[in-house]
Amino acid sequence: MTNKLILNNVDKVFGDGDSSVKVLNKVSLEVKAGEFVAVVGPSGSGKSTFLSIAGALLSPTNGRIIIDGKDISKLSEKKMNRIRLEKIGFVFQSSNLIPYLTVHDQLLLIPKLARNFNKKAKQRAVDLLERLDLGHRSNSYPQSLSGGERQRVAIARAWMNDPEIILADEPTASLDSERGRSVVKMLADEVKLREKSAIMVTHDKRMLDLCDRTVFIEDGKLSELT
Ligand SMILES: Nc1ncnc2c1ncn2[C@@H]1O[C@H](COP(=O)(O)OP(=O)(O)O)[C@@H](O)[C@H]1O
Ligand SMILES: [Mg+2]
């Protein structure tokens, strides 16, 4: 099976009656193993909504989502949560770190939630922090980190459960361009080397050459940019 993530004819409507807004309109996308897709488009066009649906954080109004061969469109909340924990790593624009946990413990929270906390998970946290140049920050709390460091912790955390699919919503917004590029390059390498799939929403056109292809969302419609 080559498609890790399939969205098929997805609609998303917020609200109901006269005040309802259709934010996504028959959006379809297939992402293969080893493929890194960029999403661009104006602010308010539905990019974050799209990413949330792709990652089972939000249910679609219509349409199907297939994650790693499994149709999740009609699963219970509990099953959806499980699939999200096992298969998906999120990186958001703001790092969303937990203020009272050290960098190391932010990472370990993930295997704890997934109930597979063990020696291997501990080692993985150490390795990831090293790789993202955060080894010396292991025992620090978020408030003492720079914006760039926080974002790298968020990225390390997203990789913690070794997800098949990585979804990143403007992950470089708080990084300087050099650091931003190196983080996206790392993501691109991980995708290629380990046959992962990734979708990244970005405003930064300089990142697009690191992706395999770019899609465009405008007024809730998705189109391929070629
Ligand atoms: N939970 C929500 N309830 C109502 N409207 C929402 C909600 N989330 C997003 N929207 C609206 O959907 C549109 C698309 O938002 P979003 O997906 O965040 O766009 P983008 O990420 O491209 O800037 C916006 O008009 C936004 O106000
Ligand atoms: Mg957004």
Side-chain angles (χ1 to χ4, degrees):
M1 190 209 45
T2 55
N3 279 320
K4 284 259 173 101
L5 177 62
I6 302 173
L7 287 94
N8 189 237
N9 272 326
V10 168
D11 291 338
K12 183 65 184 178
V13 179
F14 285 117
D16 45 23
D18 286 346
S19 61
S20 72
V21 204
K22 192 167 204 172
V23 171
L24 295 176
N25 191 352
K26 294 213 180 330
V27 165
S28 297
L29 182 71
E30 298 185 358
V31 188
K32 294 185 168 53
E35 196 174 30
F36 187 9
V37 178
V39 179
V40 298
S43 161
S45 59
K47 303 182 298 297
S48 293
T49 303
F50 169 75
L51 213 62
S52 301
I53 290 176
L57 272 176
L58 200 62
S59 307
T61 307
N62 296 300
R64 291 206 308 159
I65 321 295
I66 297 162
I67 293 178
D68 213 9
K70 199 172 174 78
D71 189 340
I72 63 149
S73 325
K74 293 189 178 68
L75 288 185
S76 68
E77 186 115 336
K78 200 174 161 194
K79 285 191 172 142
M80 232 158 85
N81 290 345
R82 186 79 215 169
I83 286 187
R84 200 163 59 230
L85 262 174
E86 282 174 0
K87 305 275 186 194
I88 302 198
F90 284 101
V91 184
F92 298 98
Q93 179 170 352
S94 62
S95 51
N96 289 322
L97 300 180
I98 297 162
Y100 54 82
L101 291 180
T102 65
V103 165
H104 187 247
D105 288 343
Q106 311 270 348
L107 266 60
L108 292 184
L109 186 62
I110 303 298
K112 281 178 181 162
L113 283 172
R115 294 182 212 279
N116 55 17
F117 178 68
N118 52 31
K119 252 193 179 152
K120 226 173 122 190
K122 274 184 158 171
Q123 189 56 45
R124 184 166 172 80
V126 171
D127 293 344
L128 276 174
L129 290 176
E130 209 54 57
R131 231 176 116 190
L132 285 155
D133 197 15
L134 287 163
H136 61 300
R137 291 307 221 165
S138 213
N139 295 316
S140 303
Y141 289 88
Q143 64 176 48
S144 69
L145 305 177
S146 72
E149 285 173 331
R150 275 182 216 155
Q151 198 58 351
R152 271 145 52 219
V153 175
I155 288 163
R157 183 178 59 181
W159 284 351
M160 213 25 227
N161 60 349
D162 198 19
E164 291 302 310
I165 298 163
I166 296 162
L167 301 175
D169 199 349
E170 303 189 29
T172 61
S174 64
L175 305 181
D176 63 53
S177 64
E178 196 184 327
R179 192 71 94 173
R181 195 170 168 87
S182 87
V183 159
V184 175
K185 176 81 171 56
M186 225 178 261
L187 185 57
D189 290 346
E190 177 90 354
V191 166
K192 284 286 154 303
L193 197 70
R194 310 201 43 229
E195 295 255 291
K196 305 289 181 179
S197 302
I199 305 179
M200 174 178 69
V201 172
T202 184
H203 273 121
D204 191 344
K205 294 210 161 51
R206 291 167 303 182
M207 303 294 170
L208 298 183
D209 65 306
L210 293 169
C211 302
D212 297 305
R213 65 190 166 107
T214 301
V215 299
F216 183 66
I217 297 186
E218 187 168 36
D219 298 331
K221 287 266 189 194
L222 184 146
S223 49
E224 297 273 341
L225 275 191
T226 42

